[in-house]
Amino acid sequence: MARIYPLFSSSRGNAAFVGTPSGGVLIDAGVSAKRLRDALSRAGIPEAAVQGIFVTHDHSDHVSGLRVFCRQTGIPVYAEPKTRENLFSCHYVEPDADVRTLTEPVTLCGMTLTPFATSHDTVQSCGYRITMPDGQSCAVCTDLGFVPDSVKDALRGCRLVLLEANYDEQMLRCGPYPDYLKRRISSDSGHLSNVQCGELARFLVQNGTVHLVLGHLSEHNNTPETALRTVTEALHGYVCGQDYLLDAAMPEDGRMIAF
Ligand SMILES: [Zn+2]
Ligand SMILES: [Zn+2]
């Protein structure tokens, strides 16, 4: 059975394992190597099971643990071309690290990982759709300022989606961040609000998704209760006759979710 382990999901650090304890991949490594190793151990995933690390983009909450973890384990990294360049130039990896250029879908451990472009304030960013050996798909889709049709197409039919619900609009507006940061977060190359997440959630549940896990919640501008309430309201009344599960990933999430 296909599994996803959210491990870490917040503005402070992101990493998810997809696969089984006998083989799978990490999406991002945005916490220290020690914390990542401890989380894998607690989840019962041996390090040897990690066959690759797929990077979404070069922000530190997604790659801060990469350099040490890769140096210690030699696990190959996969990144899109401009992200790969930045991983080296910003010293997120050692100069001799095994970082492979991602230009098309890659199959590892029987899973096919297909990157899709996201709109975010960096040189190149992506989410991943992951198709498992049994044909079921899941996706990791965070760090995007808006949802173009290309993202909807990439996610269509995924059974499970780890989906960004970064901020509540009112909490951001009234919160402690300086104006320039508020503008950045809410821009088309920032993060998804709970309302934007709800609109996408409605599309997904109408197109085959049965489990939505809200992720990358801001610790200052959101709470799990607020995000879940907004997305539930977006789904209520529009999604009839379909069963779905909706929950929120914790910043440190020890769960295994089968799909
Ligand atoms: Zn980012
Ligand atoms: Zn992020």
Side-chain angles (χ1 to χ4, degrees), residues 175-205:
Y177 284 5
D179 282 349
Y180 81 90
L181 198 50
K182 291 180 181 180
R183 277 196 297 276
R184 182 184 87 73
I185 289 168
S186 59
S187 75
D188 277 356
S189 56
H191 291 278
L192 277 196
S193 70
N194 295 339
V195 169
Q196 290 171 302
C197 175
E199 287 168 4
L200 179 54
R202 194 186 307 163
F203 169 85
L204 292 174
V205 172

Side-chain angles (χ1 to χ4, degrees), residues 204-218:
L204 292 174
V205 172
Q206 287 170 333
N207 285 277
T209 298
V210 296
H211 195 161
L212 285 159
V213 182
L214 310 185
H216 208 305
L217 274 63
S218 165

Side-chain angles (χ1 to χ4, degrees), residues 10-11 14 57 59 61-62 120 142-143 164 191 216:
S10 79
S11 299
N14 296 275
H57 63 297
H59 285 162
D61 60 319
H62 296 262
H120 195 48
T142 66
D143 299 74
E164 173 165 57
H191 291 278
H216 208 305

